[in-house]
């Protein structure tokens, strides 16, 4: 914080006598400033109000979205509230190019066009490919995206590499969240929602002056809901919601040229969560006696239902997903010369306290599985956005430091021996072999990243602009992974050798350690955009970007072969990205209609792909570099508002994403678990044929990337009619929003058991609102009660059990809100 204050006070002194005219950015309507003057106005996005100008800060200055040669989507406060999009999971239903997957807050991924983070278990040692920014502060953990939006004014989703404009390098895009700013005019808003499944949500915000030059804003949100899955083992509902968040911002404006904003926020999430439940069993190449149905029969076990949409489970281990995060930031903005000097200093923390059932059954196989984590993050960004006669530019410096400490534990139960040890071994009938077997893991990461970046927009003519950008980045990561394993009597399990009993224990949980593994590298990025504006309402542009995602460390452990830790796999190479884009932004019919079209082609070398270990060990998936990945597609966003009474939008995306070269990939379950080919018996068995040989690795070149539908579309509209209710003039309205997507893979190596079929979700609302800020509406989400899966996953042990997350059933309720 002292860095920001010192710099801004010096800048204020240096610029007191400067009489240069204000920059375009200063003269244009400021996104946050507009919010302060028109509290809780009906901000609208290109999706619902084509006839209005939408201002964004995508290029670190306020400008009309249709004049920005970047494919982006904008959602304002009205859309967030009316569609119930109070987190990223809901937001993706409005934006078909955004994908969000979560099995719990830690194991979440936010992707744009299918790129960003591997779909699967989170690895602390890698960076995210999609940057999430709240009020210009970078959030390094995707866990932040699982929490409720707090007092948000507007959300911009930028697609494609953004490293020359933003503090942290991002190869897939950025989500730029702007909170409502403090105002010198007293006002606020309150909103209450009640729904089925005991859904309760309350939001409140108040703002006003503390002095002539100081204003404050306080926002609060709380959400709770009963779980959607019934646990027959203990009579409770799981996968509930229990969130609370608080944000305070203080604006100090000592002069017209200087703004200082001190913000603090705290969010706590503590649901009874997160259960992945039985979906199906798929045959593997393991011997039949070692597959799920035979193992379950041997212990007299049967899942409570083999239909996941009965929404039943019998998980016997405790569940917890306590997730707290927050921090402080100081943003200083000073009008200096022909531009704006900005400094953003921030500290953020993340505290994760989980408990999981990693065997996904009601048997005591894995009785404890949790990796509590504490992270502290510090960021400092300096940025100057200036303007000349025919050009404008942004220059920035960014520093990031992250300290993560994870202390995990995994413990096996009394059923583990019969489930995990080959039934032909006498050890399988001795519960004491694995009962109480415990791994204590200590994982540490110290991560520094520093960068200088810049972007120039040069107007060659009034209609042609050339925009080169650059970034020079240095990364320094040092990490350690130590897993100490003890049996039920407290004896150390050796890395190799020992008795047959210890070998069986090692097969269940492999001890290992590597310390002070380091990744250090310089990387350069650059991009170039040419744009042509032949008329007021048409913008054509093309972009080439050469970018990267930082290399990293495997901090979930690496394979151990014959007692030797394969430390050569501890490091992951950086992704190298070449990105091409052509786009057109158009408005017509007196700006009542908007049509934006983008075509893109992205090639990635050394793509960071998740590799899941087939054992039940504490090695919970590690990363490997695929040779090459290609993602290409076409996006079209159309919106029309023929009158103030009616609007309609259709956003579509075609995405073709595949592994071009990945010939040493992990095999899917139907080609796993069998014997090792030998010279005497080299034959690989048919997929899912029990007791046959399995390939050591699989060539999945040409297969789909996980998590991406080839076709996705979001569409909807709203109609309103002037009327009076209880003598209050206003408008009645009805709105429908829907999203459809085609089939997609839910496994790193596509499996016949983990494809998720396409589905369509429809949401509707009916209400009444007034110009004075009163809004009352009823809503239904998943109107037709469609059964669908969010995520499917292969489970440890390669028994053929497939677990998953079922999507929410039909939910409904009523919302009452008022501004003052």
């Amino acid at each position: 914080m002292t860095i920001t204050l010192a710099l801004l006070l010096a800048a204020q002194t240096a610029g007191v006598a400067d009489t240069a005219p204000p920059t375009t950015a200063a003269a244009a309507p400021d996104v946050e400033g507009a919010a302060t003057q028109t509290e809780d106005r009906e901000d609208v996005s290109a999706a619902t109000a084509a006839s209005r100008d939408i201002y964004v800060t995508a290029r670190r200055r306020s400008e009309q979205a249709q004049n920005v040669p970047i494919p982006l989507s904008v959602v304002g406060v009205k859309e967030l509230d009316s569609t119930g999009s109070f987190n990223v999971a809901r937001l993706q239903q409005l934006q078909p190019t955004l994908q969000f997957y979560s099995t719990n807050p830690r194991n979440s991924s936010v992707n744009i066009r299918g790129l960003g983070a591997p779909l699967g278990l989170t690895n602390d040692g890698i960076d995210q490919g999609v940057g999430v920014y709240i009020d210009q502060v970078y959030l390094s953990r995707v866990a932040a995206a699982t929490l409720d939006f707090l007092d948000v004014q507007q959300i911009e989703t930028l697609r494609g590499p953004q490293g020359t404009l933003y503090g942290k390098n991002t190869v897939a895009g950025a989500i730029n969240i702007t909170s409502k700013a403090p105002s010198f005019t007293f006002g606020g808003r309150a909103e209450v929602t009640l729904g089925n499944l005991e859904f309760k949500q309350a939001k409140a915000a108040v703002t006003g002056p503390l002095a002539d030059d100081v204003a404050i804003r306080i926002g609060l949100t709380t959400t709770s809901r009963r779980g959607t899955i019934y646990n027959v083992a203990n009579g409770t509902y799981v996968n509930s919601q229990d969130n609370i968040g608080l944000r305070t911002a203080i604006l100090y404006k000592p002069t017209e040229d200087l703004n200082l904003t001190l913000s603090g926020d705290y969010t706590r999430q503590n649901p009874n969560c997160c259960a992945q439940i039985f979906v199906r069993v798929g045959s593997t190449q393991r011997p039949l006696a070692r597959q799920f149905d035979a193992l379950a029969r041997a212990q007299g076990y049967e899942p409570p239902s083999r239909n996941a949409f009965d929404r039943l489970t019998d998980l016997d281990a405790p569940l917890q997903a306590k997730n707290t995060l927050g921090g402080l930031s100081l943003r200083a903005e000073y009008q200096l010369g022909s531009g704006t000097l900005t400094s953003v200093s921030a500290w953020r923390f993340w505290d994760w306290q989980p408990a999981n059932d990693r065997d996904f059954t009601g048997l005591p196989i894995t009785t404890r599985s949790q990796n509590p984590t504490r992270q502290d993050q510090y960021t400092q960004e300096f940025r100057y956005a200036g303007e000349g006669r025919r050009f404008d530019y942004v220059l920035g410096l960014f520093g990031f430091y992250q300290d993560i400490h994870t202390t995990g534990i995994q413990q096996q139960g009394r059923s583990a021996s019969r489930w995990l040890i080959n039934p032909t071994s006498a050890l399988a009938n001795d519960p004491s072999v694995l009962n109480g077997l415990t791994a204590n893991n200590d994982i540490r990461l110290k991560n520094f990243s520093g960068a200088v970046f810049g972007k120039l927009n040069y107007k060659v003519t009034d209609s042609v602009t050339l925009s080169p950008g650059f970034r020079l980045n240095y990364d320094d990561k040092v990490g350690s992974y130590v897993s100490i394993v003890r049996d039920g009597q407290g004896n150390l399990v050796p890395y190799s050798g020992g008795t047959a009993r210890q070998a069986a224990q090692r097969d269940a949980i492999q001890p290992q350690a590597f310390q002070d593994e380091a990744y250090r590298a310089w990387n350069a990025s650059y991009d170039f955009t040419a744009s042509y504006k032949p008329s007021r309402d048409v913008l054509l542009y093309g972009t080439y970007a050469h970018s990267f995602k930082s290399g990293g460390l495997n901090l979930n452990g690496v394979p151990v072969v014959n007692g030797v830790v394969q430390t050569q796999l501890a490091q992951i190479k950086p992704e190298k990205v070449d990105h091409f884009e052509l786009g057109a932004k158009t408005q017509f019919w007196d700006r009542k209609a908007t049509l934006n079209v983008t075509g893109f082609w992205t090639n990635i070398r050394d793509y960071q792909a998740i590799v899941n270990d087939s054992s039940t060990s504490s090695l919970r998936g590690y990363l490997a570099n695929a040779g090459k990945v290609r993602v290409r597609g076409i996006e079209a966003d159309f919106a029309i508002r023929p009158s103030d009474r009616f609007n309609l939008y259709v956003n579509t995306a075609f995405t073709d994403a595949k592994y071009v070269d990945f010939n040493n990939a992990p095999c899917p379950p139907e080609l796993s678990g069998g014997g090792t080919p030998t010279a005497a018996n080299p034959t690989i068995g048919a997929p899912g044929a029990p007791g046959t040989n399995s390939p050591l690795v699989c060539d999945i070149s040409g297969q789909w990337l996980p998590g991406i539908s080839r076709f996705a579309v979001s569409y909807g509209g709203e109609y309103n009619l002037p009327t009076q209710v209880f003598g209050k003039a206003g408008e009645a309205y009805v709105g429908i929003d829907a999203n459809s997507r085609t089939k997609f893979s839910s496994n790193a190596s596509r499996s016949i058991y983990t494809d998720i079929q396409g589905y369509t979700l429809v949401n509707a609302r009916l209400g009444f609102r007034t110009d004075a800020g009163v809004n009352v509406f009823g809503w239904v989400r998943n109107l037709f009660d469609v059964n669908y899966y969010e995520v499917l996953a292969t489970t440890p042990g390669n028994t053929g059990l497939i677990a998953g997350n079922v999507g929410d059933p039909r939910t409904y309720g009523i919302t009452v809100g008022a501004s003052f």
Side-chain angles (χ1 to χ4, degrees):
M1 303 301 177
T2 56
I3 296 175
T4 299
L5 287 172
L7 181 143
L8 265 297
L9 289 173
Q12 181 183 2
T13 303
V16 166
D18 195 330
T19 58
T23 66
T24 301
D30 178 81
V31 173
E32 291 188 347
T36 66
Q37 298 302 316
T38 53
E39 171 72 25
D40 297 301
R41 73 190 193 281
E42 289 188 352
D43 291 88
V44 288
S45 71
T48 57
S51 62
R52 303 188 189 182
D53 291 332
I54 310 303
Y55 283 86
V56 298
T57 56
R59 295 195 292 183
R60 298 310 198 187
R61 62 182 69 245
S62 185
E63 53 191 334
Q64 292 183 20
Q66 287 297 109
N67 292 334
V68 179
I70 298 173
L72 55 85
S73 302
V74 186
V75 180
V77 62
K78 179 191 172 186
E79 283 71 41
L80 294 172
D81 291 343
S82 64
T83 61
S85 302
F86 58 85
N87 56 29
V88 173
R90 297 284 183 87
L91 182 66
Q92 68 172 338
Q93 296 186 18
L94 299 177
Q95 300 181 0
T97 56
L98 178 66
Q99 297 93 32
F100 176 77
Y101 301 102
S102 179
T103 57
N104 62 45
R106 172 180 165 83
N107 294 316
S108 301
S109 60
V110 177
N111 288 350
I112 294 175
R113 296 169 173 169
L115 300 175
L119 180 61
L121 293 170
T122 296
N123 193 313
D124 289 335
I126 65 168
D127 288 348
Q128 307 300 318
V130 174
V132 178
Y133 295 83
I134 298 181
D135 298 328
Q136 305 185 36
V137 176
Y138 171 72
L139 305 184
S140 61
R141 304 306 310 184
V142 178
T146 69
L147 303 179
D148 294 355
F149 295 143
L150 179 55
D151 204 23
V152 167
Q153 177 66 30
Q154 182 167 284
I155 299 177
E156 304 163 16
T157 303
L158 286 68
R159 306 189 285 271
Q162 304 299 329
T164 63
L165 280 170
Y166 282 75
K168 198 75 171 69
N169 190 54
T170 53
V171 297
I175 299 175
N176 185 23
I177 301 173
T178 302
S179 302
K180 294 180 180 179
S183 172
F184 289 97
T185 301
F186 178 75
R189 181 168 180 80
E191 181 182 283
V192 175
T193 300
L194 298 176
N196 67 326
L197 301 180
E198 302 173 19
F199 182 80
K200 298 180 286 292
Q201 186 175 73
K203 302 177 185 178
V206 63
T207 187
L210 294 179
D212 291 343
D213 53 3
V214 179
I216 190 172
R217 184 177 184 95
I218 300 174
L220 174 70
T221 180
T222 177
T223 302
S224 65
R225 192 188 72 178
R226 193 196 75 191
T228 57
I229 306 296
Y230 184 70
N231 190 341
V232 301
N234 55 24
T236 63
Y237 285 93
V238 297
N239 294 3
S240 60
Q241 295 177 0
D242 182 9
N243 306 341
I244 187 169
L246 174 68
R247 177 182 181 272
T248 300
I250 299 174
L251 170 64
Y252 174 46
K253 195 173 178 63
T255 72
E256 286 299 314
D257 293 331
L258 178 61
N259 290 344
L260 295 173
T261 303
L262 177 65
S263 300
D265 65 278
Y266 172 83
T267 304
R268 190 271 297 153
Q269 184 182 52
N270 193 22
N272 185 10
C273 188
C274 297
Q276 290 181 274
I277 67 174
F278 180 102
V279 172
R280 63 173 67 100
V281 174
S283 181
T284 74
Q285 292 178 323
R286 260 190 168 199
L288 196 59
R290 300 200 67 188
Q291 299 199 37
F292 179 86
D293 287 328
L295 292 169
R297 282 194 303 270
Q299 301 201 50
Y301 174 73
E302 175 63 21
S305 174
R306 290 191 173 234
N307 179 0
F309 297 107
D310 287 340
R311 302 179 186 275
L312 298 175
T313 191
D314 61 350
L315 300 183
D316 58 326
L319 296 179
Q320 179 175 292
K322 188 174 183 181
N323 189 34
T324 57
L325 57 88
L328 296 170
S329 69
L330 177 63
R331 185 175 73 251
E333 297 158 309
Y334 180 66
Q335 300 299 315
L336 180 63
S338 61
T340 302
L341 178 63
T342 301
S343 173
V344 184
S345 307
W347 161 73
R348 297 201 63 79
F349 74 90
W350 175 57
D351 196 358
W352 169 236
Q353 297 292 327
N356 304 298
D357 191 325
R358 284 281 294 165
D359 59 56
F360 304 92
T361 73
L363 291 170
I365 301 169
T366 301
T367 55
R368 296 180 70 186
S369 178
Q370 52 209 54
N371 278 279
T373 298
R374 170 72 188 202
Q375 173 202 271
D376 287 281
Q377 168 196 306
Y378 304 87
T379 56
Q380 175 63 54
E381 182 171 351
F382 297 110
R383 190 175 62 251
Y384 185 75
E387 183 177 282
R389 182 180 177 186
R390 299 193 66 87
F391 63 89
D392 60 72
Y393 59 93
V394 174
L395 290 173
L397 291 172
F398 178 75
F400 166 85
Y401 178 75
Q402 177 187 46
D403 189 344
I404 301 179
H405 186 198
T406 299
T407 53
I409 187 170
Q410 180 170 318
Q411 188 170 79
Q412 304 306 120
R414 64 180 182 274
S415 293
S417 294
R418 297 190 69 181
W419 194 266
L420 300 176
I421 299 175
N422 193 327
T424 61
S425 169
L427 296 175
N429 295 315
D430 183 355
S432 70
V433 176
L434 297 186
N435 188 27
L437 183 70
T438 304
N440 286 282
N441 307 325
D442 188 86
I443 307 169
R444 297 173 186 266
L445 174 70
K446 294 186 183 300
N447 179 11
F448 169 78
S449 179
V452 55
F453 60 92
K455 186 78 170 180
L456 171 69
N457 300 307
Y458 176 66
K459 298 192 71 171
V460 180
T461 69
D462 289 342
S463 57
V464 176
T465 301
L466 302 180
S467 304
F470 77 95
R471 179 186 186 88
L472 182 63
N473 202 96
Y474 176 71
D475 290 292
D476 187 330
K477 300 178 182 179
V478 179
S480 301
Y481 180 89
V482 178
S483 178
I484 298 173
V485 181
R486 298 179 184 271
D487 64 18
Q489 291 72 48
N491 302 309
L492 283 172
V493 177
Y495 281 45
S496 61
T499 65
R501 183 184 182 96
Q502 290 172 327
Q505 292 167 344
R506 231 177 5 254
D507 284 342
I509 304 179
Q510 173 67 59
Q512 65 167 286
F514 57 85
Q515 294 181 300
D516 296 327
E517 190 71 28
Y519 170 85
R520 297 181 176 96
W522 289 89
N523 283 285
S525 298
Y526 50 89
D527 57 36
F528 183 82
T529 298
S531 60
Y532 174 54
K533 194 170 179 62
S535 67
R536 183 192 70 165
D537 296 330
V538 176
L539 175 68
L540 308 175
Y541 63 93
T543 296
Y544 166 71
H546 177 76
S547 187
F548 73 97
K549 185 166 80 170
S550 170
L553 304 174
N554 267 315
L555 294 185
N556 287 346
V558 295
V560 178
V561 179
N562 297 324
V564 179
V565 181
Q566 304 298 294
T567 54
Q568 74 275 13
L569 300 176
Q571 289 196 22
I572 310 104
K573 297 177 184 177
E575 292 183 355
K576 305 172 187 67
V577 181
D578 289 293
H579 175 78
F580 305 86
E581 197 159 73
L582 292 174
K585 294 189 174 185
T586 66
Q587 290 184 304
F588 49 94
W589 196 12
D590 194 25
R591 292 193 171 183
K592 295 178 181 178
T594 297
L595 175 62
N596 297 337
V597 180
T598 307
F600 63 92
W601 189 303
T602 306
N603 293 323
I604 302 179
R605 289 171 292 155
D606 293 325
Y607 175 81
Q608 295 170 357
I610 197 81
V611 177
N612 288 313
D613 191 271
S614 61
S615 75
T616 313
S617 73
S618 56
L619 176 58
R620 303 179 58 194
Y622 62 98
L623 290 167
N625 291 104
K628 186 176 180 181
V629 158
R630 185 207 66 208
V631 181
R632 61 185 179 185
I634 299 175
E635 303 158 351
D637 300 331
F638 174 73
I640 186 170
R641 180 184 282 270
S643 73
D644 289 339
R645 307 272 74 81
F646 176 70
N647 66 74
L648 176 71
Y649 71 93
V650 181
N651 302 329
T652 62
F654 165 75
T655 309
D656 176 23
K658 71 177 185 179
Y659 298 104
V660 176
D661 177 19
F662 197 6
N663 55 25
N664 62 337
C667 294
E670 61 267 27
L671 284 172
S672 300
T676 301
T678 63
N681 182 20
T683 304
I684 301 297
T692 59
N693 288 337
S694 297
L696 297 178
V697 295
C698 284
D699 185 351
I700 63 172
S701 302
Q703 289 189 9
W704 293 353
L705 285 183
I708 312 171
S709 296
R710 288 178 68 84
F711 295 94
V713 58
S714 300
Y715 46 99
E718 184 178 289
Y719 178 76
N720 66 73
L721 190 66
T723 187
Q724 285 193 348
V725 174
F726 300 124
K728 299 290 186 180
E731 58 185 28
Y733 62 93
V734 60
I736 295 179
D737 299 282
N739 66 95
S740 302
R741 62 182 306 181
T742 57
K743 181 166 61 176
F744 63 97
S745 168
S746 187
N747 198 53
S749 296
R750 190 180 178 192
S751 168
I752 58 177
Y753 306 133
T754 56
D755 274 359
I756 295 180
Q757 298 300 314
Y759 53 85
T760 295
L761 302 178
V762 179
N763 310 316
R765 58 190 181 275
L766 175 67
F768 172 78
R769 59 187 171 225
T770 71
D771 291 338
V774 174
N775 191 9
V776 181
F777 63 97
W779 50 267
V780 182
R781 297 187 63 84
N782 191 3
L783 177 63
F784 300 108
D785 203 19
V786 173
N787 289 329
Y788 68 100
Y789 296 109
E790 294 178 336
V791 176
L792 295 178
T794 58
T795 60
N798 201 42
T799 65
L801 171 62
I802 305 297
N805 293 50
V806 295
D808 283 352
R810 180 193 296 121
T811 56
Y812 51 86
I814 187 168
T815 297
V816 179
S819 300
F820 57 89

